[in-house]
């Protein structure tokens, strides 16, 4: 009995730490606690966002920026191999994926648009607020890979009209082996099978 009580106490303590981390992150992002989902990595969060949205549709279409991190590109390739239509919007000569280009790529069956906020190789800032606004006008969920954003720009989940947003705590001194996917209320994700 004593052993079980000790394990229970350790479990409660671990849960309290997790709940505190979730609450602090949610407060920093200006969202509700239940919109923070912890994953095993930023890659896993990106994968869950794209696959989870694509599987909510019987004939899905996914739009990604042409400068995305390999985690998003790899997931898009997988989705294409499973019959999902994928449109990759190329950047302009400055490495910027314009909101107008993204908006012209949208279709009725578009399940998600994914664009990174800050490029991990050259540091290009994408116009995520304008892209998010375009997606919102069409009722299409917008995923922002914001892994490289902390310390470079202010992360504005609401201002970007981000339905889903990926972070990786180890980029700002947090533990490795943890990712975060912000899932705004009302956004449906289908678990991968």
């Amino acid at each position: 009995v004593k052993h079980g009580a000790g394990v229970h106490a350790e479990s409660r303590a671990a849960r309290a730490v997790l709940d505190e981390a979730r609450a602090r992150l949610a407060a920093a992002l200006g969202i509700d606690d239940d919109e923070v989902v912890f994953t095993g990595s930023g890659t896993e969060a990106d994968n869950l966002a794209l696959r989870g949205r694509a599987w909510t549709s019987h004939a899905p279409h996914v739009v990604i920026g042409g400068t995305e991190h390999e985690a998003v590109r790899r997931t898009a390739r997988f989705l294409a191999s499973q019959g999902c239509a994928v449109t990759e919007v190329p950047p302009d000569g400055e490495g910027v994926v314009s909101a107008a280009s993204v908006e012209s790529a949208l279709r009725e069956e578009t399940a998600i648009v994914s664009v990174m906020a800050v490029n991990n190789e050259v540091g290009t800032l994408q116009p995520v607020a304008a892209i998010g606004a375009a997606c919102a006008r069409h009722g299409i969920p917008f995923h922002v890979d914001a892994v490289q954003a902390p310390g470079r720009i202010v992360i504005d989940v609401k201002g970007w009209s981000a339905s889903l947003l990926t972070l990786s705590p180890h980029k700002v001194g947090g533990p490795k082996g943890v990712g975060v996917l912000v899932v705004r209320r009302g956004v449906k994700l289908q678990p991968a099978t």
Side-chain angles (χ1 to χ4, degrees):
V1 174
K2 288 182 181 178
H3 177 69
V7 170
H8 228 50
E10 289 176 15
S11 296
R12 284 193 304 271
R15 177 59 187 249
V17 169
L18 188 63
D19 288 345
E20 180 184 348
R22 178 178 283 113
R24 289 178 69 183
L25 183 57
L29 294 173
I31 60 174
D32 294 322
D33 295 11
D34 63 352
E35 294 177 309
V36 175
V37 176
F38 291 109
T39 64
S41 65
T43 295
E44 184 178 323
D46 283 343
N47 190 302
L48 175 59
L50 270 67
R51 289 175 68 168
R53 279 300 307 157
W55 296 154
T56 64
S57 174
H58 69 281
H61 173 240
V62 173
V63 176
I64 66 169
T67 61
E68 296 309 294
H69 186 273
E70 187 59 23
V72 168
R73 298 173 73 78
R74 191 177 321 118
T75 302
R77 284 193 300 270
F78 170 78
L79 289 170
S81 77
Q82 301 299 303
C84 180
V86 176
T87 300
E88 186 173 310
V89 179
D92 64 17
E94 300 294 317
V96 175
V97 176
S98 75
S101 296
V102 169
E103 192 164 19
S104 69
L106 300 179
R107 303 179 189 168
E108 186 175 321
E109 65 275 12
T110 302
I112 189 168
V113 171
S114 183
V115 176
M116 66 183 350
V118 179
N119 184 275
N120 60 305
E121 293 175 353
V122 295
T124 305
L125 303 178
Q126 298 299 340
V128 289
I131 294 170
C135 291
R137 281 194 297 276
H138 294 274
I140 296 171
F142 178 44
H143 169 249
V144 178
D145 180 337
V147 168
Q148 301 296 329
R152 292 172 180 83
I153 60 173
V154 174
I155 297 171
D156 187 357
V157 177
K158 292 176 182 175
W160 295 349
S161 302
S163 310
L164 300 146
L165 183 132
T166 297
L167 293 167
S168 188
H170 81 271
K171 297 288 187 177
V172 290
K176 288 190 177 195
V178 178
V180 172
L181 181 62
V182 171
V183 181
R184 298 306 310 271
R185 278 210 179 98
V187 176
K188 303 283 189 249
L189 295 177
Q190 178 68 36
T193 56

